[in-house]
Structure formats: C-alpha cells, structure tokens
Amino acid sequence: MADDSIAVVDLEKCQPDRCNYECANFCPPNRTGKECIITREERFEEDDVYQGSDDQIWISEEICLGESCGICVEKCPFDAIQILNLPQELEDDPVHRFGENAFALYGLPAPAEGRVTGILGPNGIGKTTAVRILGDELAPNLGDIGTEPDWETVLNAYRGTALQEYLEAMRDGDVTVARKPQYVDKIPDQFDGPTQELLERTDERGVLPELVERLGIGPVVEQDVDTLSGGELQRVALAATLARDADFYFLDEITPYLDISQRMTAARLVRELAEKQDRSMLVVEHDLAILDLLADNIHIGYGESGAFGIITPPKSVKGGINEYLSGYLDNENMRIRETAIEFEEHAPRPGSTGDVVVTYPDLEKSYGEGEFSLTVDGGVIRENEVLGVVGPNGIGKSTFAKVLAGRLEPDSVGGDRAQAGGLDSDLDIAYKPQYIEIDQPMRVDAFLASITDDFGSSYWNTEIAQPLQLERVMEQNLTDLSGGERQRVAIAACLSRDADLYLLDEPSAHLDVEQRVLATAAIRRYAEQHDTTAMVIDHDIYMIDLLADRLLVFDGDPAERGHAAPPQGMREGMNEFLGNLDITFRRDERTSRPRINKPGSQLDRQQKKNGEYYYAP
C-alpha cells in the first residue's frame, strides 16, 4: 500500500463465524500467494498482546493495493473494512494509533492560558482522543504500535511548537484537569442522590453559589439528580466543572438541551474563567453561533469517522468557521465537503400555500394549581411545510407537541373543558420525543424494519439511511449506540412511519454540524416530496434558519406560564423570538452566516432600533 493509505478493521463488526472470509478469498494479493489478509492468529505470535479474536482478520498495509482496489471493502458482508487514502499533504506520523488496522489521530489542539480554544469537526474523528492525551489519560505512541509510550520521545516530536510547554508541565504532573462529559443524560447512572451533594463535592474555588444563580439551577439543587431534565443536567454539569480548581478545562458540548439565552450564559461563564482566572479552556461545540461568540481560536477536525482524524493548526474563529462552512481548508489545501453550507441573508421562501393539514383551536393545559400552565392561540399547519418551533426552555413547547401527538390531554379546547381523549383528530402523527430512551435489546436494522415496509429499498436508503449516515450502525444493538447515533436512528424511525404530521423535538442534540445539515435536508426533502408536514422544535438557530418555512413562537415565564401565538412568517417570527430575548444577529460579509452581536454594540443598538433582529431588510 502507498505510504499515504491505511487499512481499518472494525472489530465490533468483523464476524468471521458468519461469513466465508470473502475479503481474503477475493483479495488480489492473496490470490497471487501473498499474505495480505490473514487471521490475527496467523499474524501474531502466541505471546503477543493484540486486539480482537484469533479468527478476526488482519490486513497488511504494506502489501494492500490501497483504496484504488477496494475489493475487500465491497465483499465484506458486515461493512467492517475501510481502505483509505490519507491526504497527500499529511507528512507527520500519527500522534496516536490504537493498534494495527485501528484508528489513527494526526495533530493535537494547543490549549493556552487565558484563552478559549475551540474544536470544530464531525463526530468520530478523534476530538475526545486528543483531549484524553491532553488530560494525561492516554500517553501518545506516535504511531509506534506495540512499544511503551515514552514522554521524552513525545516531547522531542513537539519541541519548538505551541504544545511543548504544556506537554512538559503534563509530564511533570503540574497540570490538573476538569472535564464536562458530552452525554449529560448519563450522569444519573453515575451519581445517585441530591443535586446539591453532587455540586458541593466539586466546589474547589468557592464559587458555587454564583454559578448556581447565573445558570438558573437554584430551583433544582434540592432535587435528586435522576429527576432532572436534560437542560437542567447540562447546567448542573457545567456548574460542577467550572467550580473545580484546574489548570485545563475540557468542555464537551455545552449547548445540547439549552435554549439560546442559556447557551449565551454558559459561553460568558467559560470566557470569564479563561480571562479573569487565566485558565486554559478547550471546548468542542457544534453550535456555530455559540462557538463564534465563545472561542479565541479554533482547530478544525476532519477525516473519516472511526478510521483516522486530523486536527489542524489553530485558525482564527471567523476564518476557521467560514472555511468549514465552505468545505475547503485554505492552508491545508483540502476539500472536506463537496458542497458549501449556505444561509439566506434575507427572509427565505414565503410560507406554504398548501392545503391545511392541522387546524388546532385555542388550547389550555395546566399541571395543577400553582404549577406550570400553557395557553396556545389557535392556528393552522399546512401541507408541504416545515414549521419551526422556538422559545426558551420550560415554556411549554414539548407540552404542546405531546398534546398534538395525543400523549397529553388538554384541559380546555376552544374555551371549553376538554373531553376525555384530548384533541379530536383523525391525523396520524409520527413523534420523536426530546429525550430518547432506547432499552430494546435489538439491532438497528431489525428495529427500523419493524417500522416500515420500505426498509432497505433504494428509495428509503437514498432519502433516509444515507442522509442520516445509518450504514455503519445498522448491525449494532440499540442499547450500544452513542447519543448522536441514537438521535439519527430516532429521526429515521420518525420519518419512516406513514403519517400526516412528523413532529420532531430537538433533533439537533448531539449531532455534529455535518449531521445537522444532512438531517435538516432529509426532513425538508421528505416533507416536500411526500406533500406532508413536519413540525420541528429546536434551539439551534442555524438549523431552524435552514429548515423552517414559518415559526411558532413561545414566550412567557419559564416553569410558570407559557403562551404560543399562531404560526407566522420567518422574519416576523425571528424578530418576535429574538426580541423577547434581547439578542440580535449580524451577517458575515463573506458567507451570510448569522453571528451574534455583542450586547450594547453599535450594530446591536441599531438593529434593535430598526426592529430587525435576524434577517437583513
């Protein structure tokens, strides 16, 4: 194989007991008598320590013909093999490789005191591996598999770079690390008890009361952790991390389940800790508007998920995000996406004029005297449109969705007390809830096949499986999926049902930028091609901008009362929504992507005066 190619075998998918070693039998070098694809038992000595079982395959990267051949990739019935060409510009050895035919990481981000460093890139390309190295959890082997990592060799490799000082301090044990986990919904599995107890364990800087107040989690500190919502868990995790006294803070996704106001508060807290306490902050984030507001510089991650990842040298935040959106990295001379991600500077397409699919009357729903209450003004949802739903957390968006989906009964309909059974509707509604609980011990392909007769058809593969990147998870068990994988399967399950209305609650959570764009396109295309309707609740302004025809705006007092006006056009809806939050967006002059204005800036004041919070006139 050429020096710029690697072979990757997914040992979780390689199932030699269920195949006839088609990869080896059809391999051209093997058929000439060479040992290109053999079993691991044949490859390794008896006393060797190696990954996988004896009968799983190993591929010789020296003999393999490379990506131009690809026969083993096509013949493997379990999609367990990748043969990939590395970028020609990549000259360095990997920072770390997990084994022969295993994932390789090239490049590391460079944290700096007093600065917030961002990482932007797809899931599965080594961002967490990079952080494990910087957090002294994983000693890099520089691609020298089978040898004990040596810190002096590592330091020599990074001598004269921005990382040298940091790595020397880490070697000497002078770096303390605080980490916020990516999947906050797993926290109740690791801690059982009052939230206050969890937070007090972490308050090494004596700032917990301030963090609790600014993050708005005072009302939940007396509750048990397992009773908290996703947004509450996210803010509790952030408070617990920032309360620690560390040199290096790693924050893996600070925005899932948070509304835009909460996201901005989180961003300000991170920036303040970096600037006022001179701490090093490294943030992985997929909400581009927040990353833009938060970071001093960013590293772009790219590669092939599960095979190899490349972390670029630091770039300016504005330039780096624009390069990522364009799909082309200037300094690296590398195209990472075939098409650019584009935004509309002016208010997009007019709302649909299709037939009315849903006419809902004025609704009221209360959870009891003194508890949260919701009022909804009646409105219509039309055929062949995507209705975006926006508003703060705790304002009743999910409650309204559950009422429409028949999961909750309203207290009154059209001013009259509701009869048992809730809304009188003959609609078939496919519903993806905000929090996805999957406890079925079955494979993804079996689960999806049980939902639709179209499973596996060319149409289903093209319109649902491919955009949602499901190919590589089909043979995994539902219970083994990551948060992002689970989200994509749940979106696919929703769209695979035969329904009049597709109702998706926060489909962007745990998806990277690429996956959000693909999921957005899949939802829009499905609505258009089936003359059906989708209603999408989300906090990612970019996703709503790309997706929606009209907006349903919720306001009120979170956790106390909520109100929804009838659906309205994008400009009017964005102005009402962002006006309620006192936030304005400007447009990047090169890409037209939305960027949050600094509160009180000249542009912020002028846009508020003009009543234009998001789109240009």
Side-chain angles (χ1 to χ4, degrees), residues 320-359:
I321 292 178
N322 285 351
E323 287 181 27
Y324 189 80
L325 290 174
S326 74
Y328 178 77
L329 305 182
D330 294 341
N331 292 341
E332 290 74 19
N333 189 28
M334 175 60 57
R335 178 153 295 283
I336 60 174
R337 191 187 316 106
E338 293 183 3
T339 58
I341 300 171
E342 298 177 341
F343 296 88
E344 297 282 353
E345 182 173 353
H346 302 277
R349 56 200 167 270
S352 170
T353 57
D355 294 339
V356 172
V357 173
V358 181
T359 299

Side-chain angles (χ1 to χ4, degrees), residues 450-478:
S450 70
I451 292 173
T452 176
D453 293 335
D454 290 335
F455 176 79
S457 69
S458 58
Y459 175 81
W460 189 88
N461 286 332
T462 301
E463 298 300 325
I464 294 179
Q466 291 177 14
L468 293 172
Q469 300 177 324
L470 298 181
E471 296 89 344
R472 297 192 63 80
V473 302
M474 282 296 186
E475 296 188 354
Q476 293 186 37
N477 287 321
L478 291 168

Side-chain angles (χ1 to χ4, degrees), residues 194-196 216-224 227-228 232 235-236:
T195 303
Q196 182 76 37
I217 53 177
V220 304
V221 294
E222 299 300 329
Q223 297 180 27
D224 284 348
T227 67
L228 303 187
E232 290 163 347
R235 285 176 285 157
V236 166

Side-chain angles (χ1 to χ4, degrees), residues 407-436:
R407 304 290 182 92
L408 282 177
E409 296 181 11
D411 298 326
S412 73
V413 177
D416 298 324
R417 299 300 296 174
Q419 300 298 316
L423 286 179
D424 182 15
S425 174
D426 294 328
L427 287 177
D428 289 325
I429 297 177
Y431 176 53
K432 186 205 80 69
Q434 180 180 18
Y435 305 118
I436 304 164

Side-chain angles (χ1 to χ4, degrees), residues 44 81 108 116 122 131 164 176 195 207 227 254 278 285 319 331 385 407 440 443 464 550 568 604:
F44 297 102
I81 301 172
L108 285 173
V116 179
V131 170
Q164 178 183 344
T176 54
T195 303
V207 295
T227 67
I254 65 173
D278 209 29
E285 183 52 59
N331 292 341
E385 80 167 342
R407 304 290 182 92
Q440 302 179 58
R443 289 188 355 173
I464 294 179
R550 294 190 298 156
Q568 53 193 303
D604 179 62

